[in-house]
Amino acid sequence: MSLVAGVPTADRIVIPAASRSLPTDGASQTVITVQLKDQYRNDVAERDDSRQLVYPEY
């Protein structure tokens, strides 16, 4: 038996950062992950069109 996650809901989005703080040097970076969850708190699988954003762009 396999479960299929439902539609993501805004009140269940989890957004953790890899670093708790960064120096304000304009060069330090961290990874921020956005994990979508459905109304039952099931993870919504990663899609093939996921994006990586880097800000500021150098």
Side-chain angles (χ1 to χ4, degrees):
M1 180 175 141
S2 64
L3 299 175
V4 177
V7 176
T9 59
D11 63 335
R12 301 278 190 243
I13 297 173
V14 178
I15 308 175
S19 301
R20 293 182 56 89
S21 65
L22 293 173
T24 55
D25 60 10
S28 297
Q29 298 180 359
T30 190
V31 174
I32 297 174
T33 304
V34 176
Q35 179 60 58
L36 303 178
K37 304 220 177 234
D38 68 10
Q39 64 183 341
Y40 303 108
R41 298 181 193 244
N42 296 312
D43 291 344
V44 176
E46 185 176 313
R47 296 175 24 166
D48 290 338
D49 65 349
S50 63
R51 301 284 186 257
Q52 179 180 10
L53 304 175
V54 176
Y55 181 83
E57 296 178 327
Y58 295 101

